[in-house]
Amino acid sequence: SQQGEEDPQALSIQEGENATMNCSYKTSINNLQWYRQNSGRGLVHLILIRSNEREKHSGRLRVTLDTSKKSSSLLITASRAADTASYFCAPPNAGGTSYGKLTFGQGTILTVHP
Amino acid sequence: EAQVTQNPRYLITVTGKKLTVTCSQNMNHEYMSWYRQDPGLGLRQIYYSMNVEVTDKGDVPEGYKVSRKEKRNFPLILESPSPNQTSLYFCASRSQGYGGELFFGEGSRLTVL
C-alpha cells in the first residue's frame, strides 16, 4: 500500500530557525496529509493539501506539493521548543481495496532547542 | 468536544490473559481503525471498519480481533496476548470518503509479560 517516506529521519535546530521536512510517495494521490505526534501521544492532523494545489499555509506551517515529482514538503517557520515532535506525511491509497487508506512511515523527529 | 477515547491508557498483563482495549468516538464517523506503533516500525494498521458490522484486516491482524456493533465503538480484543504484542496502540476515526482527516485517540500502552 501507499506510504509516505519522510526525510530527514531526524532534524535538530535552534528556536527561531525554520524547519523543512520532505515527503516522497509512489503512486497518484488526490490529497496528502501531514500529522504531528508529540512523544507517546496520539497523532494530530496538521494540514491537508489537494492534488490540484501547489502550496498551502496554516499559521506558521507551509506545505508544498509537487505531483510530478511525487513529493511534498512541510516548512515550519520561526520554530519553537513546543514544535518538538515527530512529523508524518500520509498520502492516501488511490485505488484498489485499500482506497483512501492512510499508511504512515517512520516520520521525521524534529527537536527544537530553546 | 470531538474526540476519540481509548481505555485503558496503560496496562500491564501476562501472557494468555484475554484483554480488551475499548475505543469510542463522538463524531458519528463511519470509518474506524486500530494501529500499533513500535520503535523502528512506525505505525501499522491492525484492523479497520468502514461501518457498523463491517470489519477488515489491516497489515498486522494476527493475534487480534475487533467488532463493530455500534457506530461509536470499536474495541480491540487480544484473546491470548503474547509478549510480541507489547506496543503502543492507537484508535482512529474519520468520516467516510476518500482519504479524510484521521482523528486519533491518546493511545494505550500495553505491556505483556
Side-chain angles (χ1 to χ4, degrees), chain A residues 39-111:
Chain A
S39 182
R41 307 291 295 274
L43 279 73
V44 175
H45 182 264
L46 291 176
I47 196 165
L48 180 153
I49 185 166
R50 302 192 187 285
S51 59
N52 60 355
E53 296 175 305
R54 290 293 190 111
E55 188 172 309
K56 194 165 183 178
H57 296 254
S58 176
R60 292 184 296 113
L61 305 180
R62 173 179 167 251
V63 169
T64 63
L65 179 63
D66 186 336
T67 53
S68 66
K69 294 181 179 176
K70 294 187 170 57
S71 67
S72 175
S73 68
L74 170 67
L75 168 68
I76 304 175
T77 60
S79 62
R80 304 165 183 167
D83 294 327
T84 294
S86 293
Y87 292 82
F88 298 86
C89 71
N93 276 20
T97 56
S98 297
Y99 181 75
K101 174 183 174 182
L102 288 178
T103 303
F104 297 89
Q106 297 290 315
T108 292
I109 301 172
L110 172 65
T111 303

Side-chain angles (χ1 to χ4, degrees), chain B residues 59-98:
Chain B
D59 300 314
V60 288
E62 295 79 18
Y64 304 95
K65 283 176 58 177
V66 292
S67 70
R68 187 91 184 275
K69 295 187 173 62
E70 306 164 283
K71 199 172 190 179
R72 62 183 293 126
N73 297 323
F74 190 43
L76 179 70
I77 302 155
L78 286 73
E79 293 271 0
S80 183
S82 62
N84 65 11
Q85 291 178 299
T86 292
S87 187
L88 180 57
Y89 292 87
F90 291 102
C91 180
S93 73
R94 64 170 170 82
S95 57
Q96 200 55 284
Y98 174 83

Side-chain angles (χ1 to χ4, degrees), chain A residues 33 35 37 41 93 101, chain B residues 37 45 59 98-99 102 106:
Chain A
Q33 302 175 37
Y35 288 78
Q37 182 184 29
R41 307 291 295 274
N93 276 20
K101 174 183 174 182
Chain B
Q37 185 175 33
Q45 189 180 54
D59 300 314
Y98 174 83
L102 268 177
E106 281 298 311

Side-chain angles (χ1 to χ4, degrees), chain A residues 6-18:
Chain A
E6 296 91 355
D7 176 70
Q9 290 187 339
L11 183 58
S12 181
I13 60 174
Q14 294 296 127
E15 210 165 29
E17 293 179 341
N18 294 343

